[in-house]
């Protein structure tokens, strides 16, 4: 059977991006679980708030991405600290179920608060097409004429401008001044306009490189269709991978090479002994929450850059559950396991979406128009269950270290 | 007082009393319910969730396994009952033999039909005003005239009429050859038992691969299975109604003790249904209480305390666990079946994982592992959720909170409802992490009678590979 | 310790006694469809929709239009001299929540009619509760085919998906010149039902279906893979049967991530919301959407008046759903004016509005009902996104029959 390699590579690329985001969420679960044996149900909400905060900083406050990422991480780290101090710390000595219920309660509270503040935030556009700055000082023209008299001053804060770059000396800027009215277009001298393009918008169309493949002969291809399948490696996905892997690598170094990392590992092994050795267990736990939450914030930022929408108060639940499944699948308490599990689930989800129907029709002749694509998440869980049933401590977990 | 508060039977008695006092009074008295119609619905939901709580308590409270997938049982029970009722329904278009006198014709219908062709007579049945003629009024008029012409002493004639498609016809009034097999009380109880058995079987089936798992690994696997069940229910319409759900209507809802389901709240059917649920609750209570005190219950307790030790002391852990899943699934199926009648539209939404988590919250809130805790948790949290719904309605707040002015717009924003719910959970766990009614350390002390029974049953002190 | 034991009892008592008092229960006699006695001196109408959740933007339109209507009618002196109060309830767009809301509304005897729900799944889930209590459910947004057919108490003031599906398939073939289409659907009542209707019509008119792909509302984690799958099917037109939230993300992924520009995106009426353009931004340009009604400059006087009033009140343009809600309420007022607030009388009155002449003329045209309670008088039309605004497409419509 002929295989469309371009399509395969696209699916692979999507799978890697999806897995990267799950991995960043999963490390938060796995670290917290490794130390205090708590399924932190509110972690998905930290991810959601990370996405919200990044969109707010990036779009509403017009900050640069290099500032947005650390700031959002800091805010989410503070949120993690808050969660631990207010909700979980008082419950250190009570049953784990009580802590679990508290986590569920905190998850509901965070969702509720976000919903009260921004009920419809998911409608917010992430890709500012362009921002024209310094217009207060610039005179605007109604027509692109060189040396013409200025006719109007336009305030750019009403709506996002749309640029017309067709004229060599002028930039046409259109705004919708009032909702429901026709947009007003003015022409500004090119030199007088500084255009700052939002990073996601720039990323949207950027491509690292094209790879061309000869497409296998497809009898049902429409006539005139070029017989090449072009695979574009989008810069956006590459950015997601690099950020995610850099973060994971940094975290690995933090846990393995630093003093606080050693303390974290010690606490995960045996809290009592660790405290006897002079480790401030509560501080280590708080730090773990902060680091995990900062990672979730990065996941939120990457999601908002990648998808550019769908940001609303319930967005954290499902990625949270999948990421937790990934953490368990990899062997809970293991950073590498979380990465492995997340990648596995990312691949499961994307490849199911991409190939399930194709496989069904190839294998079952009478399948008709049965559509299997809604089952992609179910397939993720199935993979997780099969692994857990045959390796009850996850892929990298060891039976000796009873983490359950 | 303390003794009483730790007595499960006392709590059951208290709740049954409350439900009876607040719930619907016999319709013959015509008094309605103290709690009002909406209150009755809330009480029904609470009772059904108490059954769910008792069912889940067998796995979580007795056996000590955190099950996050109980919603599957709740939904499957509901689907089995709803599908059973719908699939066995008589096909529409059955000819109805209606006594002529029952057919009513309004003046406007006469006018409307005056110019229409005299087609088949189509009627719509409404319990409160009898049969409405939807079309074909001319035929009815002609028959009525013929009847009048025949004189008052002539035998009353019947007229063959077509039920209007999709409209409600009471099952008992259908043509004699086809009555609804599950349309009676007995039939419904049978269907409920089938739902219980199906869910029990599913519980065992689900339990087999998870037997080796403990703790949070068990929790996440049950959650995963629940998600798979949820997605399957949503997508396999031929099996479960799919995204459309299964709709029960006056035609398919069984007649409980002969009462017609086609009446608004407050009628006999609701009274009967309410008491069916209450009896089911008492049954679920007795069922789980008996299990708790049985040998099986004590082997569950042993597994909960230490699985390895339990195995070492000769308990067949696998069998005991499977029996726990079976019992828990059975109650889930029964509760789900009752829930189907209350909801009347069964969709995949009932299988959502959040529903499972809510029931886990009931158990922990009330006090982990005790029957009284399950009852109290369900009552308080479900009551709270519905109470918050009322508080988000400015009219209700204005009408019921006495110190507010008549034009008050005060209410809780809709968005804040779940927030307050979450806050309650967090606060309770913060200040009373063991739940409101926790088990006494080391379990409830056995009564003298139980001690006597146990001594008899456990004469051989050590038993290798013995039965559980 | 012991004082804690009273806390549960107290809270239990509070939550149980907090339920409506006997005065609300209406004597309990159990007769269907005779409620609707207005309490005091006001008529109460319930409006139910997704104020929060995945379709919250549509819920916002609905509640804004409802509040505007309430304000206007009370400024005019109400109906028959009585004030009108709206009870606006949130079903979150979730079927089980809709059932709870329905239970609450139906057991409140002061409410004479329900305008709602919005999502087809919610309307259907709530339907039997309303039906058994004998209160009309008048939906200004649900288009699933079976909604009105299966209950005598359910009406709507827009077309249903049978019509919409046929229309979409034919429009794709005739107006967009499509030879093959891919169907994307949200796997709830609305999306699945509409998809089936489109697919059936495609088979009828010989339009090739290149592939189908479903997703769950609110769980479209990464739309890019869905877009990639669609691209491999090589359709001319992608028909989206779902809501704006998912459609916007998908559109964005198709245009931006894949750089796939030559496919036409054709959304069902669930996409008809400003938030679609808001989220998809520039990528929404050229996307086509079906709608039961559209504010155009050549519109009727009612439409213009409503748009002005809505703009004055909210500083924003009303959308289709606002207009339909406003019309539904207007029609209810006409009914109350004619027969009073009795629930059964209102149903009979609505069932009797069967001709265009007897119908209610509002913002979106004339509302009247066929035998099922469906609204035959409002054919679907198509709008296109141009410069971030919806505009009438060319051609706006194709013949369906």
């Amino acid at each position: 059977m002929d295989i469309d390699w371009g399509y395969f590579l696209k699916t692979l690329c999507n799978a890697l991006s999806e897995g990267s985001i799950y991995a960043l969420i999963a490390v938060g679960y796995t670290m917290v679980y490794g130390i205090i044996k708590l399924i932190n149900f509110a972690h998905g909400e930290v991810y959601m708030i990370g996405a919200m905060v990044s969109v707010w900083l990036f779009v509403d406050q017009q900050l640069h991405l290099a500032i947005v990422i650390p700031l959002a991480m800091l805010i989410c780290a503070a949120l993690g600290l808050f969660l631990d101090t207010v909700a979980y710390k008082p419950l250190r000595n009570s049953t784990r179920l009580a802590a679990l219920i508290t986590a569920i309660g905190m998850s509901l509270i965070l969702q509720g608060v976000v919903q009260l503040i921004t009920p419809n935030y998911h409608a917010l556009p992430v890709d500012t097409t362009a921002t024209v700055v310094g217009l207060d000082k610039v005179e605007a023209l109604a027509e692109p004429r060189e040396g013409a008299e200025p006719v109007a001053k336009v305030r750019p804060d009403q709506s996002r401008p749309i640029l017309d770059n067709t004229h060599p000396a002028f930039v046409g800027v259109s705004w919708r001044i009032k909702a429901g009215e026709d947009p007003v277009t003015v022409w500004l001298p090119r030199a007088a306009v500084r255009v700052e393009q939002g990073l996601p918008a720039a990323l949207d169309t950027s491509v690292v490189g094209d790879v061309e493949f000869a497409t296998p002969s497809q009898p049902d291809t429409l006539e005139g269709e070029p017989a090449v399948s072009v695979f574009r490696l989008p810069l956006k996905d590459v950015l997601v991978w690099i950020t995610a892997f850099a973060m994971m690598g940094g975290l690995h170094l933090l846990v393995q090479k630093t003093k606080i990392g050693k303390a974290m590992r010690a606490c995960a092994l045996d809290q009592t002994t660790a405290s006897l050795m002079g480790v401030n267990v509560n501080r280590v736990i708080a730090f773990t929450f902060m680091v995990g939450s900062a990672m979730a914030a990065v996941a939120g930022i990457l999601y908002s850059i990648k998808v550019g929408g769908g940001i609303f108060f319930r967005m954290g639940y499902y990625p949270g559950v999948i990421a937790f499944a990934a953490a368990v699948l990899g062997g809970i308490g293991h950073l590498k396991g979380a990465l492995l599990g997340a990648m596995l689930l990312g691949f499961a989800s994307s490849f199911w979406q991409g190939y399930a129907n194709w496989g069904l029709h190839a294998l079952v002749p009478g399948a008709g128009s049965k559509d299997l694509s809604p089952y992609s998440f179910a397939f993720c869980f199935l993979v997780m269950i099969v692994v857990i049933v045959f390796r009850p401590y996850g892929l990298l977990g060891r039976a000796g270290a009873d983490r359950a | 007082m303390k003794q009483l508060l730790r007595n499960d039977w006392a709590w059951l008695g208290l709740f049954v009393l409350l439900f009876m006092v607040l719930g619907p009074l016999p319709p013959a008295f015509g008094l309605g319910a103290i709690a009002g119609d909406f209150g009755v619905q809330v009480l029904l939901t609470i009772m059904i969730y108490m059954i769910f709580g008792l069912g889940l308590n067998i796995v979580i409270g007795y056996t000590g396994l955190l099950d996050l997938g109980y919603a599957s049982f709740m939904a499957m029970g509901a689907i089995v009952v709803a599908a059973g009722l719908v699939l066995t329904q008589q096909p529409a278009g059955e000819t109805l033999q209606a006594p002529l006198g029952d057919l009513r014709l309004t003046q406007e219908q006469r006018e409307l039909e005056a110019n229409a062709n005299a087609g088949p007579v189509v009627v719509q049945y409404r319990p409160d005003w009898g049969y409405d003629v939807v079309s074909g009024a001319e035929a009815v008029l002609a028959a009525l005239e013929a009847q009048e012409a025949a004189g008052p002493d002539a035998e009353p004639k019947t007229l063959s009429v077509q039920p209007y498609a999709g409209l409600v016809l009471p099952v008992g009034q259908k043509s004699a050859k086809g009555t609804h097999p599950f349309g009676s009380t007995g039939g419904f109880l049978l269907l409920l038992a089938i739902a219980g058995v199906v869910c029990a079987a599913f519980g065992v089936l689900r339990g087999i691969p998870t037997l080796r798992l403990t703790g949070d690994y068990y929790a996440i696997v049950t959650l995963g299975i629940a998600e798979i069940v949820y997605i399957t229910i949503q997508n396999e319409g031929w099996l479960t109604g799919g995204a459309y759900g299964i709709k029960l209507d006056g035609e398919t809802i069984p007649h409980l003790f002969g009462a017609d389901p086609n009446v608004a709240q407050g009628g006999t059917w609701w009274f009967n249904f309410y008491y069916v649920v209450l009896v089911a609750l008492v049954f679920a209570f007795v069922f789980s209480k008996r299990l708790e005190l049985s040998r099986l219950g004590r082997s569950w307790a042993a597994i909960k305390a230490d699985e390895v030790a339990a195995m070492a002391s000769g308990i067949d852990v696998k069998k005991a666990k499977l029996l726990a899943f079976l019992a828990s699934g059975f109650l889930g199926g029964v509760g789900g079946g009752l829930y189907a009648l209350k909801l009347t539209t069964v969709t995949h939404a009932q299988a959502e994982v959040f529903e499972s988590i809510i029931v886990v919250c009931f158990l922990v809130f009330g006090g982990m592992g005790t029957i009284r805790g399950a009852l109290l948790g369900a009552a308080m949290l479900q009551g709270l959720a519905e109470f918050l719904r009322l508080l988000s309605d400015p009219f209700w707040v204005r009408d019921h909170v006495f110190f507010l002015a008549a034009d008050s717009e005060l209410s809780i924003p809709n968005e804040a409802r779940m927030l307050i719910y979450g806050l309650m959970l967090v606060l309770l766990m913060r200040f009373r992490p063991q739940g409101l009614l926790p088990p006494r350390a080391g379990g409830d002390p056995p009564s003298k009678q139980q001690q006597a029974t146990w001594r008899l049953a456990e004469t051989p002190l050590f038993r290798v590979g013995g039965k559980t | 310790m012991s004082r804690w034991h009273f806390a549960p009892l107290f809270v239990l008592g509070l939550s149980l006694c907090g339920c409506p008092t006997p005065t609300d229960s209406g004597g309990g006699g159990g007769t269907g469809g005779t409620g609707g006695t207005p309490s005091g001196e006001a008529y109460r109408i319930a409006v139910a929709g997704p104020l929060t959740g995945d379709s919250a933007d549509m819920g916002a339109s609905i509640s804004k239009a409802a509040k505007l209507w309430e304000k206007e009618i009370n400024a005019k002196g109400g109906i028959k001299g009585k004030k009108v109060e709206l009870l606006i309830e949130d079903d979150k767009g979730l079927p089980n929540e809709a059932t709870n809301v329905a239970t609450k509304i139906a057991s409140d005897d002061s409410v004479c009619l329900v305008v709602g729900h919005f999502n087809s799944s919610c309307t259907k889930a709530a339907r039997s509760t309303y039906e058994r209590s004998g209160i009309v459910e008048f939906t200004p947004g649900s288009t699933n085919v079976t909604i009105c057919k299966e209950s005598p108490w359910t009406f709507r003031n827009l077309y249903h998906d049978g019509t919409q599906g046929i229309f979409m398939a034919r429009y794709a073939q005739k107006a967009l010149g499509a030879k093959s289409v891919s169907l994307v659907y949200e796997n709830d009542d609305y999306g699945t039902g509409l998809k089936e209707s489109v697919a059936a019509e495609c088979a009828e008119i010989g339009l090739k279906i290149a592939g189908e792909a479903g997703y769950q509302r609110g769980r479209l984690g990464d739309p890019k893979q869905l877009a990639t799958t669609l691209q491999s099917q090589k359709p001319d037109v992608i028909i989206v049967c779902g809501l704006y939230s998912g459609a916007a993300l998908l559109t964005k992924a198709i245009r931006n991530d894949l750089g796939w520009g030559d496919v036409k995106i054709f959304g069902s009426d669930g996409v008809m919301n400003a938030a679609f353009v808001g989220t998809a931004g520039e990528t929404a340009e050229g996307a086509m959407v079906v709608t039961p009604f559209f504010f155009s400059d050549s519109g009727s006087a009612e439409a213009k008046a409503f748009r002005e009033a809505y703009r004055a009140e909210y500083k924003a343009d009303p959308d289709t759903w606002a207009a339909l809600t406003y019309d539904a309420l207007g029609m209810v007022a006409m009914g109350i004016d004619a027969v009073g607030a009795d629930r059964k009388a209102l149903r009979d009155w609505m069932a009797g509005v069967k001709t265009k002449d007897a119908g209610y003329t509002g913002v979106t045209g004339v509302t009247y009902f066929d035998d099922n309670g469906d609204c035959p008088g409002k054919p679907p039309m198509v709008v296109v996104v141009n410069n971030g605004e919806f505009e009438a497409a060319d051609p706006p419509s194709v013949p369906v029959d």
Side-chain angles (χ1 to χ4, degrees), chain A residues 33 91 96-97 102 104 318 324 332 370 375 389 392, chain B residues 212 216-217 220 223 227 235-236 353 357 368 419 429-430:
Chain A
Y33 191 92
L91 294 175
R96 287 175 48 210
L97 263 174
T102 306
I104 292 167
Y318 228 61
F324 182 65
I332 198 151
K370 176 78 191 153
Y375 283 95
V389 165
Chain B
R212 285 169 67 198
D216 294 309
Y217 288 95
I220 188 71
L223 189 149
E227 278 290 348
N235 288 293
E236 298 308 315
V353 168
I357 291 177
M368 198 65 234
L419 194 155
M429 288 300 113
R430 170 74 180 78

Short mmCIF file of all heavy atoms in Angstrom, two decimals, chain A residues 33 91 96-97 102 104 318 324 332 370 375 389 392, chain B residues 212 216-217 220 223 227 235-236 353 357 368 419 429-430:
data_model
loop_
_atom_site.label_atom_id
_atom_site.label_comp_id
_atom_site.label_asym_id
_atom_site.label_seq_id
_atom_site.Cartn_x
_atom_site.Cartn_y
_atom_site.Cartn_z
N TYR A 33 2.78 14.44 42.97
CA TYR A 33 2.39 13.11 43.43
C TYR A 33 3.57 12.39 44.05
O TYR A 33 3.46 11.72 45.08
CB TYR A 33 1.82 12.29 42.26
CG TYR A 33 1.17 11.03 42.75
CD1 TYR A 33 -0.18 11.01 43.04
CD2 TYR A 33 1.92 9.89 42.97
CE1 TYR A 33 -0.76 9.88 43.53
CE2 TYR A 33 1.34 8.75 43.46
CZ TYR A 33 0.00 8.75 43.74
OH TYR A 33 -0.59 7.63 44.24
N LEU A 91 -3.66 20.00 55.44
CA LEU A 91 -4.16 18.63 55.38
C LEU A 91 -3.04 17.60 55.33
O LEU A 91 -3.29 16.43 55.02
CB LEU A 91 -5.04 18.46 54.14
CG LEU A 91 -6.34 19.26 54.17
CD1 LEU A 91 -7.06 19.11 52.85
CD2 LEU A 91 -7.24 18.81 55.30
N ARG A 96 -5.55 10.95 52.59
CA ARG A 96 -5.28 11.42 51.23
C ARG A 96 -6.57 11.74 50.49
O ARG A 96 -6.60 12.59 49.61
CB ARG A 96 -4.48 10.36 50.48
CG ARG A 96 -3.06 10.30 50.97
CD ARG A 96 -2.32 9.18 50.32
NE ARG A 96 -2.52 9.18 48.89
CZ ARG A 96 -2.51 8.09 48.15
NH1 ARG A 96 -2.32 6.92 48.71
NH2 ARG A 96 -2.68 8.16 46.86
N LEU A 97 -7.64 11.07 50.88
CA LEU A 97 -8.92 11.37 50.23
C LEU A 97 -9.37 12.78 50.55
O LEU A 97 -9.92 13.48 49.71
CB LEU A 97 -9.98 10.37 50.66
CG LEU A 97 -10.19 9.22 49.69
CD1 LEU A 97 -11.13 8.22 50.28
CD2 LEU A 97 -10.72 9.73 48.37
N THR A 102 -10.23 18.22 48.62
CA THR A 102 -9.83 19.61 48.63
C THR A 102 -9.35 20.04 47.25
O THR A 102 -9.67 21.15 46.78
CB THR A 102 -8.70 19.82 49.64
OG1 THR A 102 -9.13 19.31 50.88
CG2 THR A 102 -8.35 21.27 49.78
N ILE A 104 -10.27 18.83 44.40
CA ILE A 104 -11.45 18.98 43.53
C ILE A 104 -12.14 20.30 43.84
O ILE A 104 -12.54 21.05 42.95
CB ILE A 104 -12.40 17.78 43.72
CG1 ILE A 104 -11.74 16.51 43.18
CG2 ILE A 104 -13.72 18.03 43.03
CD1 ILE A 104 -12.44 15.25 43.57
N TYR A 318 -9.76 18.68 30.57
CA TYR A 318 -9.41 17.51 29.76
C TYR A 318 -7.91 17.33 29.59
O TYR A 318 -7.40 16.24 29.83
CB TYR A 318 -10.12 17.57 28.41
CG TYR A 318 -10.77 16.27 28.10
CD1 TYR A 318 -11.75 15.78 28.94
CD2 TYR A 318 -10.37 15.50 27.04
CE1 TYR A 318 -12.33 14.56 28.71
CE2 TYR A 318 -10.94 14.28 26.80
CZ TYR A 318 -11.93 13.82 27.63
OH TYR A 318 -12.49 12.61 27.40
N PHE A 324 -2.52 13.67 33.52
CA PHE A 324 -2.38 12.79 34.68
C PHE A 324 -2.26 11.33 34.24
O PHE A 324 -1.42 10.58 34.76
CB PHE A 324 -3.56 12.96 35.64
CG PHE A 324 -3.42 12.10 36.86
CD1 PHE A 324 -2.39 12.32 37.75
CD2 PHE A 324 -4.27 11.04 37.09
CE1 PHE A 324 -2.21 11.52 38.86
CE2 PHE A 324 -4.11 10.23 38.19
CZ PHE A 324 -3.08 10.47 39.08
N ILE A 332 4.44 7.04 37.84
CA ILE A 332 4.27 8.33 38.50
C ILE A 332 5.44 8.60 39.45
O ILE A 332 5.94 7.72 40.10
CB ILE A 332 2.89 8.42 39.17
CG1 ILE A 332 2.55 9.86 39.46
CG2 ILE A 332 2.82 7.55 40.40
CD1 ILE A 332 1.08 10.13 39.45
N LYS A 370 -19.07 5.03 8.88
CA LYS A 370 -18.78 5.06 10.32
C LYS A 370 -17.56 5.95 10.59
O LYS A 370 -16.53 5.81 9.92
CB LYS A 370 -18.51 3.63 10.79
CG LYS A 370 -18.12 3.51 12.24
CD LYS A 370 -19.30 3.63 13.14
CE LYS A 370 -18.86 3.79 14.58
NZ LYS A 370 -19.83 4.52 15.37
N TYR A 375 -13.31 9.11 18.83
CA TYR A 375 -12.76 8.21 19.84
C TYR A 375 -11.30 8.47 20.17
O TYR A 375 -10.67 7.65 20.84
CB TYR A 375 -12.91 6.75 19.38
CG TYR A 375 -14.30 6.22 19.52
CD1 TYR A 375 -15.18 6.25 18.47
CD2 TYR A 375 -14.73 5.69 20.74
CE1 TYR A 375 -16.48 5.77 18.60
CE2 TYR A 375 -16.01 5.21 20.87
CZ TYR A 375 -16.88 5.25 19.80
OH TYR A 375 -18.15 4.78 19.94
N VAL A 389 -2.40 -2.08 33.14
CA VAL A 389 -2.81 -3.44 33.51
C VAL A 389 -1.62 -4.40 33.39
O VAL A 389 -1.44 -5.28 34.21
CB VAL A 389 -4.00 -3.88 32.65
CG1 VAL A 389 -4.21 -5.38 32.73
CG2 VAL A 389 -5.26 -3.16 33.10
N PRO A 392 1.78 -2.56 36.17
CA PRO A 392 0.99 -1.78 37.14
C PRO A 392 1.72 -0.57 37.72
O PRO A 392 1.09 0.28 38.32
CB PRO A 392 0.68 -2.79 38.23
CG PRO A 392 0.82 -4.11 37.59
CD PRO A 392 1.87 -3.97 36.55
N ARG B 212 -5.27 -6.36 40.09
CA ARG B 212 -3.91 -6.23 40.62
C ARG B 212 -3.62 -4.81 41.10
O ARG B 212 -2.63 -4.57 41.77
CB ARG B 212 -2.90 -6.58 39.52
CG ARG B 212 -2.80 -8.04 39.23
CD ARG B 212 -1.99 -8.24 37.97
NE ARG B 212 -0.59 -7.86 38.14
CZ ARG B 212 0.24 -7.62 37.12
NH1 ARG B 212 -0.20 -7.71 35.89
NH2 ARG B 212 1.49 -7.29 37.33
N ASP B 216 -3.92 4.77 43.69
CA ASP B 216 -4.23 5.72 42.65
C ASP B 216 -4.15 5.11 41.26
O ASP B 216 -4.75 5.63 40.33
CB ASP B 216 -3.30 6.91 42.77
CG ASP B 216 -3.56 7.67 44.03
OD1 ASP B 216 -4.73 8.00 44.27
OD2 ASP B 216 -2.62 7.88 44.82
N TYR B 217 -3.43 4.03 41.12
CA TYR B 217 -3.42 3.36 39.83
C TYR B 217 -4.81 2.81 39.52
O TYR B 217 -5.30 2.90 38.41
CB TYR B 217 -2.38 2.23 39.81
CG TYR B 217 -0.98 2.76 39.78
CD1 TYR B 217 -0.25 2.91 40.94
CD2 TYR B 217 -0.41 3.14 38.57
CE1 TYR B 217 1.03 3.42 40.91
CE2 TYR B 217 0.87 3.65 38.53
CZ TYR B 217 1.59 3.80 39.70
OH TYR B 217 2.83 4.32 39.66
N ILE B 220 -7.05 5.89 38.55
CA ILE B 220 -6.91 6.46 37.21
C ILE B 220 -7.42 5.48 36.16
O ILE B 220 -7.98 5.90 35.14
CB ILE B 220 -5.46 6.92 36.94
CG1 ILE B 220 -5.36 7.69 35.63
CG2 ILE B 220 -4.49 5.76 36.91
CD1 ILE B 220 -5.97 9.03 35.66
N LEU B 223 -11.09 5.82 36.11
CA LEU B 223 -11.43 7.09 35.45
C LEU B 223 -11.30 6.93 33.93
O LEU B 223 -12.17 7.38 33.17
CB LEU B 223 -10.49 8.18 35.95
CG LEU B 223 -10.80 9.62 35.55
CD1 LEU B 223 -10.34 10.56 36.66
CD2 LEU B 223 -10.15 10.05 34.27
N GLU B 227 -14.20 7.31 31.06
CA GLU B 227 -14.14 8.20 29.89
C GLU B 227 -14.45 7.42 28.62
O GLU B 227 -15.14 7.91 27.73
CB GLU B 227 -12.76 8.84 29.78
CG GLU B 227 -12.56 10.05 30.67
CD GLU B 227 -13.38 11.26 30.22
OE1 GLU B 227 -13.92 11.22 29.10
OE2 GLU B 227 -13.48 12.21 30.99
N ASN B 235 -21.25 8.17 21.18
CA ASN B 235 -21.07 7.97 19.74
C ASN B 235 -21.80 6.77 19.16
O ASN B 235 -21.96 6.70 17.95
CB ASN B 235 -19.59 7.87 19.41
CG ASN B 235 -18.91 9.20 19.54
OD1 ASN B 235 -19.18 10.12 18.78
ND2 ASN B 235 -18.07 9.34 20.54
N GLU B 236 -22.18 5.83 20.00
CA GLU B 236 -22.83 4.64 19.46
C GLU B 236 -24.34 4.76 19.60
O GLU B 236 -24.95 4.17 20.49
CB GLU B 236 -22.30 3.38 20.16
CG GLU B 236 -20.82 3.16 19.95
CD GLU B 236 -20.41 3.18 18.48
OE1 GLU B 236 -21.08 2.56 17.65
OE2 GLU B 236 -19.41 3.84 18.17
N VAL B 353 -17.45 11.98 33.87
CA VAL B 353 -16.62 11.65 35.03
C VAL B 353 -16.92 12.56 36.21
O VAL B 353 -16.85 12.15 37.36
CB VAL B 353 -15.13 11.72 34.64
CG1 VAL B 353 -14.24 11.66 35.85
CG2 VAL B 353 -14.80 10.58 33.71
N ILE B 357 -17.15 11.98 40.41
CA ILE B 357 -16.39 12.72 41.41
C ILE B 357 -17.33 13.33 42.44
O ILE B 357 -17.04 13.35 43.64
CB ILE B 357 -15.53 13.79 40.70
CG1 ILE B 357 -14.43 13.08 39.90
CG2 ILE B 357 -14.93 14.75 41.69
CD1 ILE B 357 -13.56 13.98 39.11
N MET B 368 -15.96 9.18 55.64
CA MET B 368 -15.52 8.10 54.77
C MET B 368 -15.88 6.74 55.33
O MET B 368 -15.59 6.42 56.47
CB MET B 368 -14.00 8.21 54.64
CG MET B 368 -13.43 7.49 53.51
SD MET B 368 -13.98 8.21 51.98
CE MET B 368 -14.64 6.77 51.22
N LEU B 419 -18.52 27.72 42.40
CA LEU B 419 -17.47 28.27 43.26
C LEU B 419 -17.82 28.07 44.73
O LEU B 419 -17.00 27.62 45.53
CB LEU B 419 -17.34 29.75 42.93
CG LEU B 419 -16.13 30.54 43.42
CD1 LEU B 419 -15.91 31.72 42.51
CD2 LEU B 419 -16.31 31.03 44.83
N MET B 429 -13.13 20.13 54.44
CA MET B 429 -11.93 19.30 54.53
C MET B 429 -10.86 19.98 55.37
O MET B 429 -10.07 19.33 56.04
CB MET B 429 -11.38 19.02 53.13
CG MET B 429 -12.22 18.07 52.32
SD MET B 429 -12.39 16.46 53.08
CE MET B 429 -14.11 16.43 53.49
N ARG B 430 -10.87 21.31 55.35
CA ARG B 430 -9.89 22.04 56.13
C ARG B 430 -10.17 21.87 57.63
O ARG B 430 -9.25 21.65 58.42
CB ARG B 430 -9.96 23.53 55.74
CG ARG B 430 -9.18 24.49 56.60
CD ARG B 430 -7.69 24.38 56.32
NE ARG B 430 -6.95 25.30 57.17
CZ ARG B 430 -6.68 25.09 58.46
NH1 ARG B 430 -7.10 23.99 59.04
NH2 ARG B 430 -6.00 25.98 59.16
#
